[in-house]
Amino acid sequence: MKISEMGIGRLQISTCLWEEVHLVLHLSFLGILLIHFIQLIVESKCMERKKATPSEIYRIGTKVGLSFSVSMICSIFLMATHLTVTFAQQSRSQAHCNLAFPVLSSEIVQVVSWAVTLLVLYDIKSKCKSKFPWIVRVWWISSFLLSLSQAILDALDILTYLEPLKWKHVADISIFIASACLLGVSIRGKTDIVSDSADDITNPLLTEKDVKNSGGKVDCPYGKASLLQLITFSWLNSLFEVGIKKPLEKDEVPDVYVEDSAAFLAHSFDECLKLVEEQDATSNPSICKAIYVLARKKAAINALFAVISAAASYVGPYLINDFVNFLNEKKSRSLGSGYLLALAFLGAKMVETITQRQWIFGSRLLGLRLRAALISRIYQKGLRLSSKARQSHTSGEIINYMSVDVQRISDFIWYLNTIWMLPIQISLAIYILHINLGLGSLVALAVTMAMMAGNIPLTGIQKGYQSKIMESKDERMKATSEVLRNMKTIKLQAWDDYFREKLESLRSTEYIWLRKSMTLSAVTTFIFWGAPTFISTITFGACVLMGIPLTAGRVLSALATFQMLQDPIFNIPDLLSVIAQGKVSADRIASYLQEDELQADAVNFVPSDQTEFDILIDDGAFNWEAESAVQTLDQINLRVKKGMKVAICGTVGSGKSSLLSCVLGEIPKLSGTVNISGTKAYVPQSPWILSGNVRDNILFGKPYERAKYKRTVEACALVKDFELFSAGDHTEIGERGINMSGGQKQRIQIARAVYQDADIYLLDDPFSAVDAHTGTQLFQECLMGILKEKTILYVTHQVEFLPAADIILVMKNGRISQAGTFEELMQQNIGFEVLVGAHNQALESIVTVEKASREPECATKNEFNTDIDIDHNAEFPHTKQDSEHNLCVEITENEGRLVQEEEREKGSIGKEVYLSYLTTVKGGILVPVILLAQISCQALQIVSNYWMAWACPTGSEEPVVQMSFILLVYILLAVGSSLFVLLRASLVALVGLLTSQKFFSNMLHSILRSPMAFFDSTPTGRILNRVSTDQSVLDMEMAGRIAWCAFSIIQLLGTIAVMSQVAWEVFAIFIPVTAICIWYQQYYIPTARELARLAGVQRAPMLHHFAESLAGAATIRAFNQNDRFMEENLCLVDNHSMPWFHTVSAMEWLSFRLNQLSNFVFAFSLVLLITLPEGVIDPSIAGLAVTYGINLNGQQASVIWTICNAENKMISVERILQYSNLASESPLVVEDCRSPENWPGKGSISFTNLQIRYAEHLPSVLKNITCTFPGRKKVGVVGRTGSGKSTLIQAIFRIIEPMEGTIVIDNVDITKIGLHDLRSKLSIIPQDPTMFEGTVRGNLDPLGRYSDSEIWEALDKCQLGDIMRNKQEKLDSTVVENGENWSAGQKQLFCLGRALLKKSGILVLDEATASVDSATDGIIQKIISQEFNDRTVLTIAHRIYTVIDSDYVLVLSDGRVAEFDTPAKLLEREDSFFSKLIKEHSTRSRSFSSLAMLKN
């Protein structure tokens, strides 16, 4: 009776309270709506004269969708329900609260509110609005929250105060269901109303989505999904139907929704930045604020779902005590109240799982949006960075911003919802504990807060470790990127071991921090698992001391609550860590995005009708390094009229390339004016070739015009190349043009410039990489032919191209020391003649050799076109070996493709991958130990909880044993369980790290020992993806994922054991549901696995394109192609987002279904326990079963989810294993066949029947080469481009292994000895000079073998001594990435310095002086003659005078030995190939010789 009276009193209070709350809310809604309508009326009056739009004129009807229909039905239903309740209250004369105006009772006001809502909905339909107004959506959300609260209060009345079920309760439940439907509609926001137009003319021809999907992509079903499909994720069904039948292909994955596309998000982010910039009145808007503006709407919706999910999750623990009481009082309680209790459990779990899936999916989606927006912005910035900013951010660092830092910001979005959930979770937990334990809840709160506080220092330490891991990873990735980029140099110089040890050393540093981090993670795992036990022990102990009775119901409710507190305790430090990491990453990105960009005013663009000059520079001063006192360029004055040809020459490092850079606006301008009139085209000194086919490189974004394209290709001497390429101009070019010769790359980028049909051409030493004949053809047909009307500035070291210039600029120490025509400069006699004199001497040496052999031939009248050229072309055909690395022939079998699509495994991941991972450390002996520790932990936890449920009384009776003894046993069991957790966590961390380290070591060795063919055909991005992203998965995640698979299964089995021990009948439903879950898993995995693989594969092209764009940023800017490249980047981001988005969606699709099935099992178990007769089961043990059953849905879903997730992550192991078993080169050292210590002494090289081919099925590249190079002689190797010169050099270094024949050096067959023994005894100066980031000393002597005095001596000999002495840091002067702070000529001289230090018995010069002027070339040749006079020197050169004084000359043609003899003997025969090469060169230069005579 007392309880009933309390219930009536509480009911009266709650009724009056809700009466007031409802009145305030509804009157507020009506008031705001009134103001909104007044505003609309005023606006409509002001806009009366506005003409109607075509869609308004021609609209003859509307089609309503599901959302609008649901909103109308629910609103009508709610109005009718409230109206019924109002009449029922009046007819029953129920007591009301004492209101000042009875007519304003809450029910009457609610009827009015819903009637007004219907009017608003009618207005929405009549105006065909696409979205519901914000006021209506807020009203629906508020109504749902009120109805939810009312439903909870009704449940309390029935369960706690034993109120009978009344018609009012039924009405409240009905209102709650209708309000829940409106909540879903309000969150979606769209009305789904479509207007019908009278005429199709009024409709757009293509919608935005049509345009986006016109490229053959599958439209995104997510954008068209109904409300029900969005809740259940059933919009993915069509994708699963495809994926279950066969492995998914890229074009079968639907496109991303328009609002999730990179283009849309990049534009939105730019708008956000502008908004923040305006609000803060700053030129550097805050990135964090812009992210907030972009994400706030979606984040607010996610927060609402997260809060509802958190609140619903505590309904179960709250009701456990009521459930145990019901079982105890079954005789006096009706089954109806028990079933209602089960319904409350089920309803709460349903709400929890639905909202949980939505906020998790929403967070992932928001992370995707931020990632796309930030990557787009980072890429955009990369194309605008100033030279100084570019040097301070290497490519590796910028790629890390894209991958690692952006990912960390996405992770923060995931944890963001924890901020809203934490206070609700803790508050509800303490409230439930307060109901059950009274003051004991304060003890629980204090212990919880203490544990959270204790975790914070650990988080700080972990944050420090994470920062160190990131720093060490940055260093390792930067070094790895550099090694991969320069792999050919490393192999040629025999530096394999040095750089492998360097990378392993950097990895060791990273490993130390990883070990510390994972050890600390094991400790935090111990705290996480031990927290519920620790808190419960202290709380129960305090209750005993305070005399608070501990019944079974209270204990079980408290235990369930403590289990729920596990997440908040663990999430606080995790949240703080993620916030810290996210802030660090946001700051890093912000710092990068605020770096200086190229000066906007560096170059002024003047319309052609306003000036007579295409290029005008007045008193210009420029400097690459702003803080340097010495200016790069000073006192630059230049006026170039339309159509002028301006040649730029000078010694190495004099500022020639910098002069072109100032015209491009690349170099910072200190003072002066630079005016440009017209479009520009630029050919850099170091060729920049895009991955793709040859035609795409030439077109470079321009439309294909057959006639224009044909003229361009002919002028650039590419016709014969195309004829010999397997797929013509559709032949694919490898990364950085790796499968093209230096000459081919240069001609392709010249063709790119010519095809642009620009007004101004800037050519930086375009003829250095081509032979004399090709250089002549290019000069004649390009510069003086197809471009004769264009303005051209060309840098050249070849003096024969100077007389044709209208004006010649001679650079010296950053100034234009001389300017004039060739004749004028020759007469000035103040420096120009030094360059000309060097060329003269070289020419005279050729003439002398010719005279010594025979009388010279009469020159033809035409300087460039000779009969000899025609004959020569016939006898020196272009050949299929037309490439530096001779890989073009390889692509025959692949339809013109050298770089194939990245290999992707298909089908299920093989068992051998799992076995390989699990057995890497100690043969897998520790795996059973880990499993045993988890089983022991789980068993002790169950026993401890079972003990508490059994020992504690169910009612007011005395406990079986003393409470102190109960607690003591509980503590012992709990401590044992926690210790097993610590053991398991420590072993998982240890085994995981050792395994990842072993995998890394195997992969690194495999990659570095791969032949050059692998690096030529594999983009660097693919390799970097594995050593960064995939390796990080192994380092940080893989062990935990695999372990959790086993742990979650053990947990689930424990829960099943407890539930079946109480009521074995639960198996009747559990077994079929489990079978359905397994079927869902099997249905899900094929699709999810292929999506994860596609996501991994699509990541590499994005990174590769980014790295490629950064390398060629200057060229992209010069051609004004920024927009095109940014669009391509957006497409690549979308290509990666597509499979990633659907991977995340598929995971939620599965989780939703598994959660609902688990809820069904739990509900069945509750109904079973309620239905069983009294006395069949112990109420305490039944309560324990419910305590475990609450988490059944989570555990069952967790098993399937962790297995699927582990398989997705196992793809990283699979990808690393792919690169751990690559084909390897020959051994570095063969112990049984070591080369002598002083080998090679004499340096003779003997070729016997040498044949080289790149694969068994391909033709030979070198054919039956048989000749002997005598020791200690100079041998020149000449021949047309593609005749096999570079292949011969690669064969000597065994970059390519002979198929037949032998190469013997000083009686040692080089195929028998180790590669390191061979390559370390040879020296080479390559055509493409390579420098590594670091110092000058480290570049000259990376192995640290030489003293400073020896290094200085080498620098002096290669003409760099004075330059280095002027540097403040001397030998420790900085070398930036790719050596970009040194000119191409200086880099070539540094390579010479390496050779001088090495002092090998054999030196190979492969176009070693192509990038230096004639004077410097002469000095270098003299130094080589002096320093290597007693050594064998092989020289490949396009400048014929560099081989004219050789002891022997080898002429190659079509991969065969055409001639081999002394130059004098070869010149005696007029029909010899060498004679014709000499004649061509001397003929071409004879007119120059006559001009040179004017000097005398």
Side-chain angles (χ1 to χ4, degrees), residues 727-749:
D729 61 352
H730 291 288
T731 297
E732 183 169 332
I733 300 175
E735 187 177 17
R736 303 188 309 278
I738 199 76
N739 58 317
M740 297 284 161
S741 71
Q744 285 172 326
K745 287 188 282 188
Q746 194 72 288
R747 281 180 280 140
I748 287 171
Q749 69 167 359

Side-chain angles (χ1 to χ4, degrees), residues 856-1073:
E857 300 286 334
C858 295
T860 56
K861 291 182 181 180
N862 191 314
E863 180 185 351
F864 296 107
N865 294 315
T866 66
D867 294 334
I868 294 171
D869 280 346
I870 298 169
D871 294 337
H872 195 78
N873 285 336
E875 296 187 47
F876 281 88
H878 286 257
T879 62
K880 282 196 176 184
Q881 295 79 41
D882 194 9
S883 90
E884 181 184 352
H885 304 288
N886 291 288
L887 290 169
C888 287
V889 286
E890 288 190 48
I891 62 184
T892 307
E893 302 298 313
N894 294 319
E895 300 179 351
R897 294 182 65 82
L898 168 70
V899 180
Q900 296 299 304
E901 292 290 336
E902 183 171 358
E903 181 182 354
R904 173 167 70 97
E905 300 287 348
K906 293 187 178 180
S908 61
I909 293 172
K911 293 177 182 176
E912 64 277 3
V913 177
Y914 288 96
L915 284 174
S916 176
Y917 183 82
L918 293 173
T919 59
T920 297
V921 177
K922 306 291 184 184
I925 196 170
L926 292 174
V927 174
V929 178
I930 293 171
L931 292 176
L932 186 60
Q934 177 62 23
I935 291 169
S936 302
C937 163
Q938 185 69 21
L940 289 175
Q941 277 188 349
I942 291 173
V943 170
S944 64
N945 291 338
Y946 196 95
W947 166 256
M948 289 298 288
W950 175 80
C952 292
T954 55
S956 57
E957 66 270 15
E958 288 295 317
V960 180
V961 293
Q962 289 292 325
M963 285 304 300
S964 57
F965 180 75
I966 294 173
L967 275 179
L968 179 62
V969 173
Y970 180 72
I971 290 169
L972 291 174
L973 292 170
V975 169
S977 173
S978 299
L979 290 176
F980 277 116
V981 168
L982 182 60
L983 174 64
R984 182 259 290 171
S986 302
L987 286 176
V988 168
L990 174 66
V991 173
L993 267 182
L994 290 174
T995 302
S996 72
Q997 183 68 0
K998 184 70 174 174
F999 269 75
F1000 174 82
S1001 181
N1002 291 343
M1003 177 173 61
L1004 180 65
H1005 281 250
S1006 177
I1007 290 172
L1008 294 184
R1009 295 290 298 117
S1010 296
M1012 273 308 300
F1014 168 75
F1015 299 100
D1016 293 340
S1017 59
T1018 306
T1020 305
R1022 286 186 194 171
I1023 305 173
L1024 290 177
N1025 209 7
R1026 282 167 171 82
V1027 298
S1028 59
T1029 307
D1030 290 322
Q1031 186 61 43
S1032 290
V1033 170
L1034 263 71
D1035 289 339
M1036 307 294 289
E1037 297 182 53
M1038 198 67 248
R1041 301 286 187 191
I1042 293 289
W1044 265 108
C1045 286
F1047 303 161
S1048 57
I1049 291 171
I1050 292 168
Q1051 274 191 314
L1052 179 62
L1053 292 174
T1055 299
I1056 294 168
V1058 172
M1059 293 182 70
S1060 60
Q1061 195 270 339
V1062 176
W1064 61 266
E1065 294 87 350
V1066 76
F1067 276 104
I1069 190 68
F1070 185 80
I1071 291 173
V1073 167

Side-chain angles (χ1 to χ4, degrees), residues 159 319 323 336-348 1162-1163 1166-1167 1170:
L159 298 173
L319 294 177
F323 186 77
S337 61
Y339 291 139
L340 190 59
L341 194 60
L343 183 63
F345 270 109
L346 178 62
F1162 180 53
L1166 290 175
V1167 171
I1170 291 166

Side-chain angles (χ1 to χ4, degrees), residues 32-42 116 119-120 123:
I32 294 172
L33 201 61
L34 179 62
I35 295 170
H36 184 65
F37 271 116
I38 292 171
Q39 182 182 358
L40 289 176
I41 291 168
V42 172
V116 172
L119 291 174
V120 173
D123 182 65

